[in-house]
Amino acid sequence: MRLVLVNKYYPPHIGGIEFHVRDLAEGLVAAGHQVRVIVCNNERSYAEDTEGGVEIVRLPRRTELASTPIAHNFGRVLAREAAGADLLHFHFPYPWGEAQWVLQQASRTMPYVVTYHSDIVRQKLALRFYAPFLERFLDRARLIIASSPQLIVNSAWLAPRRSKCRQVNFGLPTAAIAGDAAAIARAAELRASLGGAPIVLFVGRLVYYKGIDVLARAIPQVPGAQFVVIGKGPQRALLEGLERVHLIDYASDEELRAWYHAADVLCLPSTSPSEAFGLVQIEAHAAGTPTVSSDLATGVTYANLEGVTGLYAKTGDAASLAAALNRLLADDELRQRLGQAAQARALEEFSIEAMTEATTKVYQEVLG
C-alpha cells in the first residue's frame, strides 16, 4: 500500500505522538509499504528527506496558535498527496490540519482513518469554534483507531461513533528495552549513586495534568525512598527544595532506559483526562518495573492493570498515592510479581510489530 500519515510534527521534534508516528511509519515500511509523512517544519522553510525508509515532507510553519502549528496550503498539499495514495492516516488532535482537510473536496471521497489520541480538554473556547469541522472530520473517516477501550467508551466524540472505532495498542521497542544490557549495567551504577535506596521514578512534562502537586504532597509520606523526576515544565518549582528529590531536565534514550531498569516503581499521578494513556508506563513495564498510577477513566488504567502490572491510587489524593507506593516498596514479592507480569504483557501486546500488524488490518478493512 501507498500510505500518507499526517501529524503536526515529526522527530526530531520531541513529543509522544511524534515518536508514535515515527515508530508506526518505520514499522509499516519494514512490513513492505510505501509511507509518506506530511507534517509542519519547526522553521519557516520547506524540507523533504527520508529517514528509516519513510519519506518526510515538512511544510513551512508560519506561526503557532494554541500549540497548533499553522502552515499555508496544508489542505492543498494533502489533496495532492491523496491523489497518489491508497489511504491517508491522520493523528488527532491537529485542528489546523484536520480543518484544512475537511475543506478539500477530496475529504469526501478519499478513504482515510484517524488515530484519536485524546480529547481536546483545556482549549474549550477554541473547541467551540472547531467543533463543526471536527464533526465532519470524524464522520467522513472510514474508521477511527483508539489506544484503549476506555477512550472509546468515555470520549464524548467517540462514544456516538463506537461502531467504527477499532482499538489498537501502541507499539514500542519493548524487546530492546527489556534486553538492553548496557542499560541494565548502567542501572546498577544509578542505584549505587543513590545509596541503594528504593527509587520511585517519574517521567514526563511537569505540567498541570500530570499531578505534580499530588506527587509533591505524597513524597514526605514515603520515607526512605529516593524520587527521580525526569522532565521539565512550569510546575517544576513544586518539587524544588524537597528532600530526596532528584530533578533531571532531560535524559537520553539510553539513560532513560537505565532509569527504568534502576527504578523500583514508576509513578504516574496524573489528574486530568488530558492524560489519555501514559505510554511511559509501557516503557517501564518493558524493563520489568511496575507502576502506581491514578485511577483515571482513561487509557491510563488500560496501560496499567490494577493488581496485574501495578497498583492504582485515587486521582488527586496524595495520601492514597503514598499508600500505594509504600505498599509496593515494602513488599518485595508483590513488586517482583507485578514487574514480571508487566514485562510479559509489554513484550506480548505492545511491540512495534504487533502495532503495525493491527494497524494494517484496519487499513485492509477500509480498503476491502
Side-chain angles (χ1 to χ4, degrees):
M1 283 181 277
R2 178 171 170 78
L3 306 165
V4 175
L5 276 55
V6 185
N7 189 42
K8 292 190 292 187
Y9 292 116
Y10 194 83
H13 187 97
I14 295 174
I17 297 179
E18 285 70 31
F19 293 149
H20 165 74
V21 173
R22 178 200 60 197
D23 290 342
L24 176 60
E26 293 185 359
L28 290 166
V29 168
H33 303 288
Q34 183 178 358
V35 180
R36 198 162 165 87
V37 175
I38 311 300
V39 294
C40 283
N41 201 350
N42 282 321
E43 303 171 354
R44 293 192 173 192
S45 59
Y46 178 94
E48 282 195 40
D49 55 9
T50 301
E51 298 175 12
V54 180
E55 302 169 14
I56 308 159
V57 176
R58 304 177 197 268
L59 302 179
R61 183 187 67 181
R62 299 304 181 189
T63 186
E64 189 168 282
L65 181 63
S67 300
T68 298
I70 307 298
H72 292 322
N73 297 323
F74 201 91
R76 291 183 183 179
V77 171
L78 291 181
R80 184 188 68 210
E81 294 290 335
D86 295 306
L87 188 87
L88 268 65
H89 185 167
F90 289 82
H91 290 264
F92 173 91
Y94 179 27
W96 175 256
E98 295 137 15
Q100 287 284 296
W101 173 242
V102 165
L103 293 173
Q104 303 300 313
Q105 184 64 31
S107 71
R108 300 175 182 271
T109 56
M110 178 67 190
Y112 67 93
V113 301
V114 178
T115 291
Y116 191 97
H117 287 271
S118 69
D119 287 332
I120 297 175
V121 177
R122 207 175 191 189
Q123 295 88 355
K124 296 185 184 299
L125 179 61
L127 180 60
R128 193 183 307 175
F129 292 98
Y130 176 56
F133 292 97
L134 180 54
E135 291 278 3
R136 279 181 281 172
F137 176 70
L138 294 176
D139 285 343
R140 292 176 187 175
R142 301 295 176 87
L143 291 176
I144 301 170
I145 295 172
S147 59
S148 70
Q150 288 87 338
L151 184 58
I152 295 173
V153 171
N154 294 316
S155 168
W157 294 94
L158 295 191
R161 300 173 173 88
R162 67 179 65 183
S163 63
K164 67 175 182 179
C165 290
R166 304 290 182 269
Q167 193 267 318
V168 173
N169 285 343
F170 286 131
L172 292 169
T174 50
I177 295 172
D180 192 329
I184 294 170
R186 173 62 177 153
E189 297 175 357
L190 294 173
R191 292 185 67 87
S193 72
L194 295 179
I199 297 173
V200 178
L201 177 66
F202 172 93
V203 178
R205 291 184 298 154
L206 307 185
V207 293
Y208 79 98
Y209 68 83
K210 291 290 187 178
I212 305 304
D213 58 326
V214 182
L215 178 62
R217 297 197 305 273
I219 288 171
Q221 303 176 54
V222 187
Q226 300 290 326
F227 286 78
V228 175
V229 177
I230 301 177
K232 55 186 178 180
Q235 295 205 322
R236 190 181 196 275
L238 296 176
L239 299 171
E240 291 175 342
L242 292 181
E243 294 184 0
R244 299 178 287 111
V245 174
H246 308 269
L247 297 171
I248 302 172
D249 286 346
Y250 170 79
S252 66
D253 288 345
E254 294 78 11
E255 192 76 350
L256 185 56
R257 286 186 183 184
W259 278 115
Y260 284 134
H261 281 281
D264 294 278
V265 182
L266 178 81
C267 182
L268 190 74
S270 306
T271 56
S272 164
S274 293
E275 187 73 88
F277 193 86
L279 200 56
V280 293
Q281 298 181 104
I282 305 302
E283 294 179 320
H285 291 171
T289 301
T291 300
V292 170
S293 64
S294 304
D295 60 353
L296 284 167
T298 68
V300 168
T301 48
Y302 175 73
N304 181 38
L305 303 179
E306 166 75 11
V308 178
T309 63
L311 300 177
Y312 294 161
K314 294 180 182 178
T315 301
D317 189 326
S320 177
L321 179 64
L325 290 172
N326 283 324
R327 181 185 172 193
L328 266 189
L329 294 176
D331 192 332
D332 292 344
E333 188 279 329
L334 174 64
R335 191 174 66 255
Q336 291 170 8
R337 174 166 56 82
L338 296 181
Q340 290 170 358
Q343 186 175 66
R345 181 173 182 248
L347 290 171
E348 181 179 354
E349 301 182 22
F350 292 91
S351 69
I352 292 175
E353 294 78 12
M355 172 182 67
T356 301
E357 182 179 353
T359 303
T360 301
K361 288 180 179 179
V362 174
Y363 297 161
Q364 291 169 340
E365 182 180 354
V366 168
L367 299 175

